Amino acid sequence: MKKLTLLGSTGSIGTQTLQIVEAYPDRFQVVGLTAQRNMTLLAGQVRQFHPEIVAVGGEAERAELLELLAGYAAPPDIRVAAQGVVEVAAHGDAQVVVSGVVGVAGLLPTLAAIEAGKDIALANKETLVAAGPVVMPRIQVKGVHLLPVDSEHSAIFQCLQGGKELNRILLTASGGAFRDWPVERMKTATVKDALKHPNWVMGRKITIDSATLMNKGLEVIEAHYLFGLDYEQIEIIIHPESIVHSLVEWADTSVLAQLGWPDMRLPILYALSWPERIPTPWRPLDLVKIGTLNFKAPDHEKYPCMRLAYQVGRVGGTLPAVLNAANEAVVELFLNEQISFADIPRLLALTCEAHPTVSAPALADILEADRWAREQVQIQALRTVITPV
């Protein structure tokens, strides 16, 4: 029986993780859950999985959850706000913490779980993108395992088991909503256009990141920290079918790939069950039915965010934290229809260019860089894009 805590239990990763717990009740037990606003769903999860402790967005959510749990025999300890999430992450005898919180909000809880000696099933790429220089040394000092949940990084991790002399890795990308659009047409892309992902149903922010390919740029930085490779050894290839999740190439040029249907339950299950594999009743992959798998190089003119991510990663220090925070702020402006799709890479570049990078940052430097970047995006947008009312 492996005990786990789930940060972000009402989101996509969270609900799919709990589907796995439900399917394998003799394998996994829930110790803690966190959710920001969806108290109705969280209350149902509490009644089903009986966590010892939960964290919610604030006092209003705490009151709502208590009302929803009226009559429940064993209500959990309820903590609130960001500090509450940190407390849940470090709580009790959970062996694995699934970090499914969206954005840089996942950083401090993940660090708290590491300090408490818990293995991390990481679905929150921002933790490593923004704070890899802080997080990875703590992983080493505490002797915990960092297990990737993103399908691409899970694929690489699976291919690496038992191997040595790695030469390079290849991250596959669907190409997002605009993979078949010409560059000129993308200048007029609307929010509605960008949210039409051809393969996946995801949250609004990650779907926009897929359309700009920033999600893949951030995954390159994450892979740099996860697998210890130089940026020249990490490549992106467009693979529209999303069946090959990533590949690794060894020193003798042999290549291993991990394949599967586009289903996030598989990488979640592997992160939870590693180093074992658990038999499942899920639909097996049918290559004959798929028929054809296609691959092509990404267009750097079409996806300038991808090129920017490589540049930022090579600089390192606090600059990846700036890129991550600026991207969150810029995507929010786009989703609110305050800027155009073409403004996204331009505002990101302006923000990164304005940042005085700290080359060997402490946690305080990273948090300050995150705050600075969000403020700088607003300044750059007001100067160049948004007309004040």
Side-chain angles (χ1 to χ4, degrees):
M1 178 72 72
K2 187 174 287 187
K3 296 184 178 182
L4 61 91
T5 286
L6 177 52
L7 310 181
S9 69
T10 58
S12 175
I13 294 297
T15 54
Q16 291 178 86
T17 300
L18 291 175
Q19 287 173 14
I20 291 169
V21 174
E22 181 179 22
Y24 300 96
D26 58 332
R27 294 271 190 164
F28 305 112
Q29 178 183 341
V30 173
V31 172
L33 299 173
T34 79
Q36 278 291 104
R37 291 177 295 276
N38 192 341
M39 294 302 100
T40 301
L41 181 52
L42 179 60
Q45 293 172 346
V46 168
R47 290 178 179 275
Q48 181 174 1
F49 297 102
H50 315 296
E52 300 170 5
I53 187 170
V54 302
V56 298
E59 290 296 341
E61 287 78 13
R62 183 178 187 276
E64 181 183 356
L65 181 61
L66 285 171
E67 183 176 349
L68 290 166
L69 291 175
Y72 176 58
D77 181 2
I78 303 175
R79 308 295 174 90
V80 298
Q83 181 58 33
V85 180
V86 169
E87 292 164 358
V88 171
H91 175 81
D93 59 352
Q95 298 147 286
V96 180
V97 171
V98 181
S99 182
V101 176
V102 175
V104 79
L107 171 57
L108 294 181
T110 302
L111 279 171
I114 292 168
E115 294 302 321
K118 303 178 188 303
D119 290 340
I120 306 298
L122 187 68
N124 172 274
K125 64 172 64 69
E126 293 85 358
T127 290
L128 286 186
V129 171
V134 171
V135 173
M136 294 310 295
R138 298 312 301 165
I139 290 284
Q140 296 296 324
V141 167
K142 300 301 292 187
V144 300
H145 296 105
L146 184 60
L147 307 164
V149 168
D150 270 350
S151 58
E152 295 82 2
H153 298 93
S154 174
I156 295 164
F157 181 65
Q158 293 179 56
C159 290
L160 289 178
Q161 299 305 299
K164 297 180 179 179
E165 301 299 328
L166 181 64
N167 191 35
R168 64 173 176 152
I169 60 179
L170 297 97
L171 296 171
T172 55
S174 68
F178 304 133
R179 70 185 180 202
D180 299 320
W181 285 38
V183 173
E184 288 302 313
R185 184 184 174 194
M186 290 173 67
K187 295 178 181 178
T188 62
T190 66
V191 172
K192 184 178 180 181
D193 293 329
L195 289 173
K196 292 178 181 177
H197 195 284
N199 295 7
W200 305 88
V201 177
M202 305 180 291
R204 285 160 60 85
K205 191 265 183 184
I206 186 60
T207 305
I208 302 303
D209 284 350
S210 181
T212 63
L213 228 64
M214 178 56 84
N215 72 316
K216 211 54 52 176
L218 296 178
E219 286 174 13
V220 165
I221 299 174
E222 183 182 12
H224 164 74
Y225 288 112
L226 279 171
F227 307 114
L229 295 183
D230 293 334
Y231 286 95
E232 290 71 20
Q233 296 174 281
I234 307 171
E235 298 184 23
I236 296 171
I237 53 175
I238 303 297
H239 171 48
E241 293 83 7
S242 295
I243 295 297
V244 177
H245 297 294
S246 277
L247 311 92
V248 302
E249 180 187 272
W250 300 102
D252 61 0
T253 72
S254 176
V255 174
L256 298 181
Q258 188 268 327
L259 288 73
W261 296 115
D263 186 341
M264 279 302 299
R265 291 179 302 166
L266 180 56
I268 295 170
L269 176 62
Y270 189 69
L272 295 179
S273 65
W274 180 87
E276 300 179 35
R277 286 190 182 271
I278 297 177
T280 74
W282 302 338
R283 176 177 57 141
L285 184 65
D286 187 341
L287 288 174
V288 173
K289 183 176 181 180
I290 295 166
T292 303
L293 300 175
N294 295 280
F295 304 90
K296 64 180 179 179
D299 184 337
H300 288 269
E301 182 182 358
K302 189 173 184 178
Y303 300 112
C305 288
M306 177 182 62
R307 181 174 60 247
L308 178 62
Y310 271 98
Q311 294 168 346
V312 165
R314 290 186 177 102
V315 173
T318 49
L319 197 57
V322 167
L323 177 65
N324 177 72
N327 183 61
E328 290 184 12
V330 168
V331 169
E332 184 176 359
L333 290 175
F334 174 68
L335 287 170
N336 291 335
E337 300 185 343
Q338 294 175 274
I339 63 173
S340 72
F341 189 77
D343 288 324
I344 294 175
R346 189 174 57 79
L347 287 172
L348 290 175
L350 287 171
T351 301
C352 290
E353 288 167 5
H355 178 62
T357 301
V358 178
S359 59
L363 178 59
D365 299 315
I366 288 166
L367 296 176
E368 171 57 22
D370 179 271
R371 184 207 63 77
W372 178 91
R374 295 172 195 275
E375 181 180 275
Q376 187 68 18
V377 163
Q378 299 298 324
I379 293 171
Q380 295 290 352
L382 286 170
R383 283 176 180 169
T384 63
V385 182
I386 301 172
T387 303
V389 179

